[in-house]
Amino acid sequence: MNDAAKGRSVTLHLVSSLDGFIAKKDNSISWLECTGSVYEAGVSVSEEEAAAFLKTIDCYVLGSRTYEHALELGWPYGDTPVVVVTRRQLPPEKKSVEFYSGDLRTLVDVKLAPRYRNIWLVGGAMLCQRFLELGLVDEIQLTIAPVLLGEGLRLFGGSLTEQRWNLKNVVAYKNGFVELSYSAPAA
Ligand SMILES: NC(=O)c1ccc[n+]([C@@H]2O[C@H](COP(=O)([O-])OP(=O)(O)OC[C@H]3O[C@@H](n4cnc5c(N)ncnc54)[C@H](OP(=O)(O)O)[C@@H]3O)[C@@H](O)[C@H]2O)c1
C-alpha cells in the first residue's frame, strides 16, 4: 500500500557520522556543529526556510533515551506533539508530550495515523531499528556529518535483514553535511 492510500507517512530522520555513529559515548554533541569549512557547491537554508519546513511536521516519535537527552540539551521540538515510547512511568514535563508503551504497529496505525499525516521518528538507534524491523518506516532521511567518531552508538547496529531502498533526493549543504532521502521498497 502506498503512503497516500495509508494516509500517513513515517519518516525516520537521524544524523550519522561518516563512520556510522549517531551519538558519542559521553553523549556530547559538539560533533554536530559546523566547523566553518565551506563546500562551495552546497546549498544553505535560511532560518525562515528551516522554520517553514519544521511546520510541515505533524508529530515526532522518540525513544525515552532520546527524550531524556533532549530535555537536558534544550527542547528542539517546540509545541509540536511528541510521543515518547517507554515502558517506564516518566514524569510529565511538557504539555505537548504523551507517553506510549505497547505494540509499535498499534502506535502508528491506531494512535497516530488518525491524527497525523507527517510523522517524524527522530531516534534513537534502538527505537528506529525496531520501527525498521516492523516495516513501519516509509522514508529514511539520513544526514551525514563530515566527521569520523571512531566509537559510539551505532546507527542501525542490530539485526536488520537486507532490503533495498529507493534513493529519492540528495542535498549537499555548504557546511559539508549531506542529506540522503530514501523511500521504502514497495510492500
Ligand atoms: N544523531 C542523531 O540524529 C540522534 C537522534 C536521536 C538520538 N540520538 C542519540 O541517541 C541516543 C539514544 O538512543 P538509544 O538507541 O540509546 O535510545 P532510544 O531509542 O532513544 O530509547 C530507547 C528506549 O526507548 C524505549 N523503547 C524502545 N523500543 C521500545 C518498545 N518497542 N517498546 C517500549 N519502549 C521502547 C525504551 O525505553 P524505557 O527504557 O524507558 O522503557 C528504551 O530503553 C542519545 O545519545 C541521543 O542523543 C542521536
Side-chain angles (χ1 to χ4, degrees):
M1 204 189 299
N2 64 29
D3 295 355
K6 285 187 297 196
R8 55 82 178 159
S9 171
V10 176
T11 299
L12 183 164
H13 178 261
L14 287 171
V15 184
S16 167
S17 67
L18 274 175
D19 49 347
F21 297 105
I22 68 156
K24 289 185 71 159
K25 279 192 167 169
D26 65 2
N27 247 347
S28 61
I29 55 159
S30 56
W31 65 278
L32 291 164
E33 287 162 12
C34 309
T35 58
S37 93
V38 176
Y39 173 56
E40 290 296 347
V43 298
S44 53
V45 175
S46 69
E47 279 185 22
E48 292 76 23
E49 287 168 323
F53 177 76
L54 291 179
K55 275 198 181 151
T56 67
I57 297 173
D58 297 320
C59 162
Y60 293 99
V61 179
L62 282 62
S64 68
R65 291 188 205 154
T66 296
Y67 165 68
E68 287 170 319
H69 199 202
L71 285 175
E72 261 174 58
L73 290 172
W75 193 244
Y77 309 111
D79 294 329
T80 303
V82 169
V83 175
V84 175
V85 181
T86 180
R87 295 186 186 89
R88 289 177 287 159
Q89 293 289 326
L90 294 172
E93 304 262 357
K94 301 215 162 259
K95 274 194 183 157
S96 56
V97 172
E98 297 177 52
F99 298 105
Y100 178 86
S101 170
D103 179 63
L104 296 178
R105 192 175 299 284
T106 305
L107 167 66
V108 172
D109 292 340
V110 178
K111 198 171 163 65
L112 301 180
R115 291 193 283 164
Y116 307 117
R117 282 186 78 85
N118 190 14
I119 300 161
W120 275 49
L121 170 66
V122 290
M126 186 190 287
L127 190 61
C128 288
Q129 174 141 346
R130 214 47 213 120
F131 264 69
L132 284 169
E133 285 164 2
L134 293 167
L136 292 174
V137 178
D138 301 297
E139 296 198 7
I140 294 176
Q141 195 178 102
L142 184 61
T143 301
I144 307 293
V147 57
L148 293 167
L149 290 179
E151 60 176 7
L153 179 63
R154 280 257 165 235
L155 171 61
F156 303 133
S159 54
L160 292 172
T161 51
E162 182 174 332
Q163 198 182 45
R164 199 163 290 266
W165 284 58
N166 307 307
L167 181 66
K168 289 293 172 187
N169 200 26
V170 178
V171 182
Y173 292 95
K174 281 215 181 313
N175 62 9
F177 284 62
V178 179
E179 189 180 276
L180 305 168
S181 301
Y182 300 88
S183 65

